Amino acid sequence: MSELSISSDGRDDPAAFRAKVAAGEAGGADTIWIANHLFLRDPAVLGALTLSQTQRLKVALMAISPLTQHPVQIAMAVATLAEQFPGRVKLCLGVGAPADLAAAGIDGAKPLRAMREALQLVRALLSGETVTFQGETFRVDHRRLAPLGAGIPIVLAASGPQMLELAGAEADGVLISAGASVPFVQQTLKSVARGAKGRNIKTSGLVYASVDDDATRANDRVRRILAILLRGAHHRANLDLAGSVLDQAALNAAVIAEDWATAEAMIGDDIVARHAASGTPELLHRRLADYHASGLDEIVIAGVRGCAQIEAILKTPRRNA
Amino acid sequence: MSELSISSDGRDDPAAFRAKVAAGEAGGADTIWIANHLFLRDPAVLGALTLSQTQRLKVALMAISPLTQHPVQIAMAVATLAEQFPGRVKLCLGVGAPADLAAAGIDGAKPLRAMREALQLVRALLSGETVTFQGETFRVDHRRLAPLGAGIPIVLAASGPQMLELAGAEADGVLISAGASVPFVQQTLKSVARGAKGRNIKTSGLVYASVDDDATRANDRVRRILAILLRGAHHRANLDLAGSVLDQAALNAAVIAEDWATAEAMIGDDIVARHAASGTPELLHRRLADYHASGLDEIVIAGVRGCAQIEAILKTPRRNA
Amino acid sequence: MSELSISSDGRDDPAAFRAKVAAGEAGGADTIWIANHLFLRDPAVLGALTLSQTQRLKVALMAISPLTQHPVQIAMAVATLAEQFPGRVKLCLGVGAPADLAAAGIDGAKPLRAMREALQLVRALLSGETVTFQGETFRVDHRRLAPLGAGIPIVLAASGPQMLELAGAEADGVLISAGASVPFVQQTLKSVARGAKGRNIKTSGLVYASVDDDATRANDRVRRILAILLRGAHHRANLDLAGSVLDQAALNAAVIAEDWATAEAMIGDDIVARHAASGTPELLHRRLADYHASGLDEIVIAGVRGCAQIEAILKTPRRNA
Amino acid sequence: MSELSISSDGRDDPAAFRAKVAAGEAGGADTIWIANHLFLRDPAVLGALTLSQTQRLKVALMAISPLTQHPVQIAMAVATLAEQFPGRVKLCLGVGAPADLAAAGIDGAKPLRAMREALQLVRALLSGETVTFQGETFRVDHRRLAPLGAGIPIVLAASGPQMLELAGAEADGVLISAGASVPFVQQTLKSVARGAKGRNIKTSGLVYASVDDDATRANDRVRRILAILLRGAHHRANLDLAGSVLDQAALNAAVIAEDWATAEAMIGDDIVARHAASGTPELLHRRLADYHASGLDEIVIAGVRGCAQIEAILKTPRRNA
């Protein structure tokens, strides 16, 4: 069975975040992936709190962007955390959401080189060796990181083919965004494999999840987040591969107008069935198994509010596993 | 009596850091100032651990640099922390040590404008309002910070006259570097006052401290860190004002050669007496009183290893206070 | 609106307990009442963990028995806890379940005098004064408790009329057992009032609770615990006052035989409706309001497993409050 | 090298206790032994706090008395703790100080049978099996402990020959009181060996410790606690074996009169040298080595206030080890 993990997108308030962490620890989640969306909550701080309140749950900081934090700062934060809680910390690098970068006046147009350099530089620093690095974007001159960071896995959050290949070629793991249909996951992993050339790399995927004895009610909970997500032009191939018929332009207009009735109505049960893991416990179990079979080592459930859903979802796969 | 606080420079290993925090909490320190020196430990992570293991001690993140982290990330981290531990978090912005910035390939030559913009932008974000900010270095377009950051004091770490004036004009507090003699503190605070134009601004100063029943042994503990510090050209005025005779070029050569016997020999008891708070408990108490009388609201003891010294120093001022 | 609190009966495993605590903190529960059932988990240990992982939630240790721990030990434990977490700790004294006491070879037949002495002795010790106490069961000769325990409320878990009068006369609060119908709560509080003679005393009651959009499913969750509880002869008056028709002998036989189908079938929806707070959110809200109107200042929801139910129940009363 | 552990006697206030724990964790102490002196602080509560604030340090609850807590409660507390922090908890049973028991009106005159039964009953309960136990003092009828307690070592605090033999015969370890001279430790361990008949049993001993570059000043710190301790008639053999000349009657009179000048003057450097581990770092190291050579597997330093001494003492043995 694949690993099952949970996530927080930085919108959980303090008490809700602590409740989610406790539900994840209680339910046997492998890792909590804590997001770094600009203007929301900070994952290094939340990761430190998580680790000091649990005994077992791991923490992945995702997706830390070298466009908003210097790789030396990134290495400092993750190594400080791992030194205090050995074996329980992962780093996931990623560019960040284009709209968020734009709102902070940051040019995220051509991130590939910066990302490759950040990956190499952070990895070198975490090794504990004295580092001299001469990149085009980042440089370090003969310095060594003080906190012990050896052994921290570095994962790359990737969606475009070049970033996926970079993950395959140089990272310890890859993280695929939410909303991907099973055929799209398979195509995505082919890009990773092209880069990996036989290297072993761990594959993780964010999957919006919802469970309810009433399948429609389960689906209702994920329609809006799918609407916000799938309107993006870069989801065309994902939709087409899955056979999902969706007027992205109309959906985008409804989302921008905050006309949620229209937007959610466009995300029918067939769309949910292809782009999330939602429904009765049996349906959820089957969907998670499908994602696993498509090549994901770790499924990171996302888009979930409240410990009730966390608890119910973490229970599900063990029913029939 | 002025507030007495402690600090960590990022060199304390995990257990030593936790012991220092516990000694500070036990000894009644007001705040632990946690440094952000490049390549050392991360203050946001350490701050989160500190707050989750204490009931009272406050945390100041110092000095967070907009040259290595985007102000949006800075605001996210400090607000996430303060939201979890209301009333116990301060932010101290600062450029960072020139040598560290250089080693990370970062140009820190003209930081004043970036610092002013960062101060204004972080403050705007922490207010919780929707922010549109059009600086030359930083921009934000109509976004609001999710975690609650209202009321977090923003302190500026400053040494040059312009930065000190900026602190006086726009920050909630100013932090003066270690090694300053009392006359230099007084001169420094004049620059702050010029900027403040009557505004009330809290003044804090890092002071290397050491205590022992044998004054020479106390002084021995701070000679090396004073040697490393005072060799810098920017300490000329500080030395001259204090009447300290020191061949900075020779000292610098000894430090670079790691010839500690020579370097430490150049930091005689007279230099220690003027640029640190060191000696017997009585001497320490008098020095802290002098720094207080020079205008510092809060003395942040620095350069201290081990809980024994923390414990002894925190006890001292109350003997005769 | 009355306070809403949660409870743990000592059966929650470590992860489930932490998840329950987090859900209580997140959902705004006032207090977690942690039980001291013999052979299950220890409330002082769990209370210390709870307080160190939350910022706000209070802890009540219930029901600590002077038949199994000397009042000096009881005072030590609760004061040690309160000294570390001021204002967040309550002590609830109680005899303990007769069957548990019997299984541990303890005679709990006439506990009234021991309980009165324990209440007086613990209160004297918590005051911080030097205590000399000459009871028939307990004695202390001129000693003072070291940890600071002043201000800790002492609640008495009571069901018989004499114990209820004792609570009214001498305790800071009274805790009524689960399963009480509203008319029985009212009768119970009359006994407390007889003892109180106008003193103000806080009234708290354990109430089995369950919520579900399908009322029958909600009720299903509490049938077994009600069966185990209501078969006891001391519940006759409670049943009669509520108009509940129940063959206690037959129920007892089914429970002893672990014939849960039969036992649960005897706890029909009408019994649940009178002796628990269960059903749809609207029904639950109404039941909680009824218990409140019957004179309870604080309702302590009990018999709940999993953070999902905690979360849902804590949400309910605010819908229409 | 023998293990080095620390202890708290229940007199440390909350902040001092946390500082001691942090210093122990930082300094590599194996275990913190937390005392259960009547009227002082509660070790189960402090143990829970310790374990939730450290990653490595073990906790031993000492000496939990079956005269003040029923063995079922004792098993509940230690198993609840160990279940949350596996592998980090030990239980030390002991009668308690006669004067404290007397002040609480408890008859501790003939504790041997109760202790043997408590040891057997607690061990049976911690095994996780269903227990039926028919002792003269304690009984349990077919019940099983819910929290997982398997593998928790049970140590017996012992000084009289019969209790030492019982420890040898039935416990996992023995704890010897403070103040014992090396010859007395050797004689004591012979009693343990008589009971053990070849069984392996871990030996731990409390040792008052103090360190200072000035040996007299080190000794000054332990004179009063040695005076209070060694006046007792049961220390006659200990004193005689060590060749220590001490007028116990006169010492007792001085202690009762709180005439500390006289009492401390009676504890000369020769007495300290034989009944504690005190002096310069070199002397301390040698004394710890002597105790180790006398047969102690673990030395538990006692009588220490403040993290400075903890830090200094934990450093010492590694100098020459």
Side-chain angles (χ1 to χ4, degrees):
Chain A
M1 188 63 200
S2 70
E3 289 169 18
L4 202 53
S5 291
I6 62 173
S7 63
S8 173
D9 62 4
R11 285 188 181 83
D12 299 310
D13 71 30
F17 181 79
R18 287 167 185 247
K20 180 178 272 188
V21 163
E25 174 93 350
D30 183 77
T31 298
I32 182 166
W33 293 69
I34 311 177
N36 182 47
H37 295 306
L38 289 182
F39 304 101
L40 302 185
R41 288 172 180 82
D42 178 78
V45 167
L46 294 178
L49 294 178
T50 298
L51 292 163
S52 63
Q53 298 198 345
T54 53
Q55 306 292 311
R56 191 194 49 69
L57 191 66
K58 298 195 201 86
V59 161
L61 310 181
M62 75 163 170
I64 310 300
S65 173
L67 304 185
T68 59
Q69 297 184 63
H70 194 281
V72 172
Q73 292 275 178
I74 295 173
M76 288 164 64
V78 72
T80 302
L81 207 50
E83 187 186 48
Q84 294 268 358
F85 303 98
R88 296 178 63 198
V89 176
K90 302 174 213 177
L91 171 65
C92 174
L93 294 172
V95 178
D100 290 339
L101 292 170
I106 296 164
D107 177 14
K110 298 200 168 180
L112 198 66
R113 179 185 297 150
M115 189 57 69
R116 176 179 287 115
E117 289 188 10
L119 177 57
Q120 292 171 348
L121 175 51
V122 170
R123 184 190 295 281
L125 288 167
L126 293 182
S127 75
E129 303 296 311
T130 298
V131 173
T132 294
F133 184 87
Q134 291 289 342
E136 297 204 14
T137 314
F138 302 115
R139 283 180 298 285
V140 161
D141 184 18
H142 200 70
R143 292 294 285 266
R144 206 175 58 78
L145 196 68
L148 305 168
I152 300 173
I154 307 180
V155 180
L156 205 55
S159 36
Q162 289 180 298
M163 199 65 85
L164 289 162
E165 284 194 39
L166 172 59
E170 304 206 18
D172 301 309
V174 65
L175 176 72
I176 297 173
S177 306
S181 57
V182 161
F184 191 68
V185 167
Q186 291 168 327
Q187 174 178 296
T188 292
L189 293 181
K190 277 185 200 152
S191 296
V192 176
R194 253 196 312 280
K197 297 196 176 83
R199 280 178 79 235
N200 193 25
I201 174 167
K202 181 167 175 180
T203 56
S204 305
L206 291 160
V207 174
Y208 288 151
S210 179
V211 67
D212 203 293
D213 289 336
D214 176 338
T216 305
R217 196 157 51 178
N219 291 351
D220 288 349
R221 283 200 205 95
V222 293
R223 289 188 218 280
R224 188 176 302 186
I225 50 178
L226 281 172
I228 294 168
L229 186 84
L230 294 175
R231 71 193 160 126
H234 58 292
H235 274 289
R236 192 67 260 165
N238 176 19
L239 292 164
D240 290 348
L241 268 172
S244 299
V245 177
L246 186 64
D247 180 345
Q248 287 184 296
L251 181 60
N252 189 39
V255 167
I256 285 173
E258 297 191 24
D259 174 2
W260 298 117
T262 301
E264 293 180 17
M266 294 179 74
I267 307 295
D269 288 341
D270 58 325
I271 300 278
V272 174
R274 292 190 188 99
H275 297 276
S278 171
T280 62
E282 287 66 30
L283 277 169
L284 173 62
H285 174 70
R286 213 176 307 148
R287 283 293 289 160
L288 294 177
D290 287 349
Y291 276 113
H292 177 47
S294 75
L296 291 179
D297 299 320
E298 177 187 21
I299 295 170
V300 183
I301 60 177
V304 178
R305 298 275 159 238
C307 69
Q309 280 288 303
I310 295 283
E311 188 181 56
I313 293 167
L314 288 176
K315 254 182 211 157
T316 304
R318 289 153 205 178
R319 283 199 187 177
N320 315 319
Chain B
M1 185 63 200
S2 71
E3 290 169 18
L4 201 53
S5 292
I6 62 173
S7 62
S8 173
D9 63 3
R11 284 188 181 84
D12 299 310
D13 71 30
F17 181 79
R18 288 168 186 248
K20 181 176 270 188
V21 163
E25 175 92 350
D30 183 77
T31 298
I32 181 165
W33 293 70
I34 312 176
N36 182 47
H37 294 306
L38 288 182
F39 304 101
L40 302 183
R41 289 173 180 83
D42 178 78
V45 166
L46 294 178
L49 295 178
T50 298
L51 292 164
S52 61
Q53 297 197 346
T54 52
Q55 307 291 312
R56 189 195 51 69
L57 191 66
K58 298 195 200 86
V59 161
L61 310 181
M62 75 162 170
I64 309 300
S65 172
L67 303 185
T68 60
Q69 298 183 62
H70 194 281
V72 171
Q73 291 276 179
I74 295 173
M76 287 164 63
V78 72
T80 302
L81 207 50
E83 186 186 49
Q84 293 269 357
F85 302 99
R88 296 178 63 198
V89 177
K90 303 175 212 177
L91 171 65
C92 173
L93 295 171
V95 177
D100 291 338
L101 292 170
I106 296 163
D107 177 14
K110 300 198 167 180
L112 198 68
R113 179 186 295 149
M115 190 58 70
R116 176 179 286 116
E117 290 188 9
L119 177 58
Q120 293 170 346
L121 174 50
V122 170
R123 184 189 295 282
L125 288 166
L126 294 181
S127 75
E129 303 295 310
T130 299
V131 173
T132 293
F133 184 88
Q134 291 291 341
E136 297 204 13
T137 313
F138 302 116
R139 283 182 298 286
V140 161
D141 184 18
H142 200 70
R143 293 293 286 267
R144 206 174 60 77
L145 196 69
L148 305 168
I152 300 173
I154 307 180
V155 180
L156 204 56
S159 34
Q162 289 181 300
M163 198 65 84
L164 290 163
E165 284 193 39
L166 172 59
E170 305 207 17
D172 301 309
V174 67
L175 177 72
I176 296 173
S177 305
S181 57
V182 160
F184 192 66
V185 167
Q186 292 167 328
Q187 174 178 297
T188 292
L189 293 181
K190 277 184 201 152
S191 296
V192 176
R194 254 196 311 280
K197 298 194 176 82
R199 279 178 79 235
N200 194 26
I201 173 167
K202 181 166 176 180
T203 57
S204 306
L206 291 161
V207 174
Y208 289 151
S210 179
V211 68
D212 202 291
D213 289 336
D214 175 340
T216 306
R217 196 158 50 181
N219 291 351
D220 287 349
R221 283 201 205 96
V222 293
R223 290 188 217 279
R224 188 175 304 186
I225 49 178
L226 281 172
I228 294 169
L229 186 85
L230 294 176
R231 67 191 162 128
H234 58 291
H235 274 288
R236 193 66 261 164
N238 175 21
L239 293 163
D240 290 347
L241 269 172
S244 300
V245 177
L246 187 64
D247 180 344
Q248 286 184 297
L251 180 60
N252 189 39
V255 167
I256 284 173
E258 298 190 22
D259 175 2
W260 298 118
T262 302
E264 293 181 16
M266 295 179 73
I267 307 295
D269 288 340
D270 58 325
I271 300 278
V272 174
R274 293 191 189 100
H275 298 276
S278 172
T280 62
E282 287 65 31
L283 277 169
L284 174 62
H285 174 69
R286 212 174 312 147
R287 283 292 291 159
L288 294 177
D290 287 350
Y291 276 112
H292 176 46
S294 76
L296 291 180
D297 299 319
E298 177 186 20
I299 295 170
V300 183
I301 60 177
V304 179
R305 299 272 159 240
C307 68
Q309 280 289 303
I310 295 283
E311 188 180 55
I313 294 168
L314 288 176
K315 253 181 214 159
T316 302
R318 290 158 203 174
R319 282 198 188 178
N320 314 319
Chain C
M1 187 61 201
S2 70
E3 289 168 19
L4 202 52
S5 292
I6 62 173
S7 62
S8 173
D9 63 4
R11 284 188 181 84
D12 300 310
D13 72 29
F17 181 79
R18 287 167 186 249
K20 180 177 272 188
V21 163
E25 174 93 350
D30 181 78
T31 298
I32 181 165
W33 293 70
I34 312 178
N36 181 47
H37 294 306
L38 289 182
F39 304 101
L40 302 185
R41 289 172 179 83
D42 178 79
V45 167
L46 294 178
L49 295 178
T50 298
L51 291 164
S52 64
Q53 298 197 346
T54 53
Q55 307 291 312
R56 189 195 52 67
L57 191 66
K58 298 195 200 86
V59 162
L61 310 182
M62 76 161 169
I64 309 300
S65 173
L67 304 185
T68 60
Q69 297 185 63
H70 194 282
V72 172
Q73 292 276 177
I74 295 173
M76 288 164 64
V78 71
T80 303
L81 207 50
E83 186 185 50
Q84 293 270 356
F85 303 98
R88 296 178 63 198
V89 177
K90 301 174 212 177
L91 170 65
C92 173
L93 294 171
V95 178
D100 290 340
L101 292 170
I106 296 163
D107 177 14
K110 298 199 167 179
L112 199 67
R113 178 185 299 149
M115 190 57 70
R116 176 178 287 116
E117 290 187 10
L119 178 57
Q120 293 170 347
L121 175 50
V122 170
R123 185 190 296 281
L125 288 166
L126 294 181
S127 75
E129 303 296 312
T130 298
V131 173
T132 293
F133 184 87
Q134 291 290 343
E136 297 203 14
T137 313
F138 302 115
R139 283 181 298 286
V140 161
D141 184 19
H142 201 69
R143 293 293 285 267
R144 206 174 60 77
L145 195 69
L148 306 168
I152 301 173
I154 307 181
V155 180
L156 204 56
S159 34
Q162 288 180 298
M163 199 66 84
L164 289 163
E165 284 192 39
L166 173 59
E170 303 206 19
D172 301 310
V174 65
L175 177 72
I176 297 174
S177 306
S181 57
V182 161
F184 192 67
V185 167
Q186 291 167 328
Q187 173 177 300
T188 292
L189 294 182
K190 277 184 200 150
S191 297
V192 176
R194 252 195 313 280
K197 297 195 175 82
R199 281 178 78 234
N200 193 25
I201 173 166
K202 182 167 175 181
T203 56
S204 306
L206 290 160
V207 174
Y208 288 151
S210 178
V211 66
D212 203 292
D213 289 337
D214 175 339
T216 305
R217 196 157 52 179
N219 291 351
D220 287 348
R221 283 201 206 95
V222 292
R223 290 188 217 279
R224 187 176 303 187
I225 49 177
L226 280 172
I228 293 169
L229 186 84
L230 293 176
R231 68 192 161 127
H234 57 293
H235 274 290
R236 192 68 262 166
N238 176 21
L239 292 164
D240 289 347
L241 268 172
S244 298
V245 177
L246 186 63
D247 180 344
Q248 285 184 297
L251 180 59
N252 189 39
V255 167
I256 285 173
E258 298 191 23
D259 175 2
W260 299 117
T262 300
E264 293 181 16
M266 294 179 74
I267 307 296
D269 288 341
D270 58 324
I271 300 279
V272 174
R274 293 191 189 100
H275 297 275
S278 171
T280 61
E282 286 66 30
L283 278 170
L284 173 62
H285 174 70
R286 214 175 308 147
R287 284 292 291 161
L288 295 177
D290 287 350
Y291 276 112
H292 176 46
S294 76
L296 291 180
D297 298 320
E298 177 186 21
I299 295 170
V300 184
I301 60 177
V304 178
R305 299 272 159 241
C307 68
Q309 280 288 304
I310 295 284
E311 189 180 53
I313 293 168
L314 288 175
K315 255 182 211 157
T316 303
R318 290 155 204 175
R319 282 200 187 178
N320 314 319
Chain D
M1 186 63 200
S2 70
E3 289 168 19
L4 202 52
S5 292
I6 61 172
S7 63
S8 174
D9 62 5
R11 283 188 182 83
D12 298 311
D13 72 28
F17 181 80
R18 288 168 185 247
K20 181 177 271 187
V21 163
E25 174 93 350
D30 182 78
T31 298
I32 181 167
W33 294 69
I34 312 177
N36 182 47
H37 294 307
L38 288 183
F39 304 100
L40 301 186
R41 289 173 180 82
D42 178 78
V45 167
L46 294 178
L49 294 179
T50 298
L51 292 163
S52 63
Q53 296 197 348
T54 53
Q55 307 291 310
R56 188 196 52 68
L57 192 66
K58 298 195 200 86
V59 162
L61 310 182
M62 76 162 171
I64 309 300
S65 174
L67 304 185
T68 59
Q69 297 185 62
H70 194 281
V72 172
Q73 292 276 177
I74 295 173
M76 288 164 63
V78 71
T80 302
L81 207 50
E83 186 186 50
Q84 294 269 356
F85 302 99
R88 297 178 63 199
V89 177
K90 302 174 211 177
L91 171 64
C92 174
L93 294 172
V95 177
D100 290 339
L101 292 170
I106 296 164
D107 177 15
K110 298 199 168 180
L112 198 67
R113 179 185 297 149
M115 190 57 70
R116 177 179 286 116
E117 290 188 10
L119 177 57
Q120 292 170 347
L121 175 50
V122 170
R123 185 190 295 282
L125 287 167
L126 293 182
S127 75
E129 302 296 309
T130 298
V131 173
T132 294
F133 184 88
Q134 290 291 342
E136 296 204 14
T137 313
F138 302 116
R139 284 180 298 286
V140 161
D141 184 18
H142 200 70
R143 292 294 285 266
R144 207 175 59 78
L145 195 69
L148 305 168
I152 300 173
I154 306 181
V155 180
L156 204 55
S159 34
Q162 289 181 299
M163 199 66 84
L164 289 162
E165 284 193 40
L166 173 59
E170 304 206 18
D172 301 310
V174 66
L175 177 71
I176 297 173
S177 305
S181 57
V182 161
F184 192 66
V185 167
Q186 292 167 328
Q187 174 179 296
T188 291
L189 294 180
K190 277 184 201 151
S191 296
V192 176
R194 253 196 312 279
K197 299 194 175 82
R199 280 178 78 234
N200 194 24
I201 173 166
K202 182 167 176 180
T203 56
S204 306
L206 291 160
V207 174
Y208 289 152
S210 179
V211 68
D212 203 292
D213 289 337
D214 176 339
T216 306
R217 195 158 51 179
N219 292 351
D220 287 349
R221 283 201 206 96
V222 293
R223 290 189 216 279
R224 187 176 304 186
I225 49 178
L226 281 172
I228 294 169
L229 186 83
L230 294 175
R231 69 191 162 128
H234 58 292
H235 274 290
R236 192 68 261 165
N238 175 21
L239 292 163
D240 290 347
L241 269 173
S244 299
V245 177
L246 187 64
D247 180 345
Q248 286 184 297
L251 181 60
N252 189 39
V255 167
I256 283 173
E258 297 191 23
D259 175 2
W260 299 117
T262 302
E264 294 181 17
M266 296 179 72
I267 307 295
D269 288 342
D270 57 325
I271 300 278
V272 174
R274 293 190 188 101
H275 297 274
S278 171
T280 62
E282 287 66 31
L283 277 170
L284 173 63
H285 174 70
R286 213 175 310 147
R287 283 292 290 160
L288 294 177
D290 287 350
Y291 276 112
H292 176 47
S294 75
L296 291 180
D297 298 321
E298 177 186 21
I299 296 170
V300 184
I301 60 178
V304 179
R305 299 272 158 240
C307 69
Q309 280 288 304
I310 294 283
E311 189 181 54
I313 294 168
L314 288 176
K315 255 181 210 158
T316 302
R318 289 154 205 176
R319 282 199 188 178
N320 314 319

